[in-house]
Amino acid sequence: MADDTAPQIDFNEHERTYVNFLRGSVAVILGSLIVLVALVMFAFGSGASATVLGFLGLIFGLAAVVLDLRMGSNWTLSLVVTAIFVFITLMWVA
């Protein structure tokens, strides 16, 4: 019989994986929200300028999410860009 051959649990690696999973989940949620707001702008905005604003908001919003994800920050840039995009969409559609 083999004695003491069970692998040891690496709690530091487990915690790092958990933190990265949470960061990825937040990035997917913010990206989905930005895509949803862009779809609202495309569907209910009037004119070609709504389409341009929708694409710009989509590009800048997803770029902000990628930057926050890569920098490991606290999502401030993504939240600010998303809030501005939501506000512009609400003003444009209303």
Side-chain angles (χ1 to χ4, degrees):
M1 288 176 87
D3 293 326
D4 297 325
T5 58
Q8 296 296 322
I9 297 174
D10 187 3
F11 285 107
N12 291 331
E13 184 67 24
H14 174 74
E15 184 177 356
R16 190 176 68 84
T17 302
Y18 177 70
V19 167
N20 286 334
F21 172 76
L22 288 180
R23 288 181 64 227
S25 298
V26 170
V28 167
I29 290 169
L30 283 172
S32 299
L33 178 65
I34 290 168
V35 169
L36 181 66
V37 173
L39 288 173
V40 168
M41 180 67 95
F42 296 146
F44 300 113
S46 58
S49 56
T51 303
V52 171
L53 284 174
F55 277 120
L56 288 176
L58 184 64
I59 291 168
F60 287 133
L62 293 179
V65 170
V66 169
L67 282 174
D68 275 343
L69 186 63
R70 296 288 295 181
M71 291 189 311
S73 63
N74 57 359
W75 305 104
T76 304
L77 178 64
S78 297
L79 291 174
V80 168
V81 170
T82 303
I84 291 171
F85 188 35
V86 167
F87 179 74
I88 290 172
T89 302
L90 286 174
M91 292 297 114
W92 200 268
V93 170

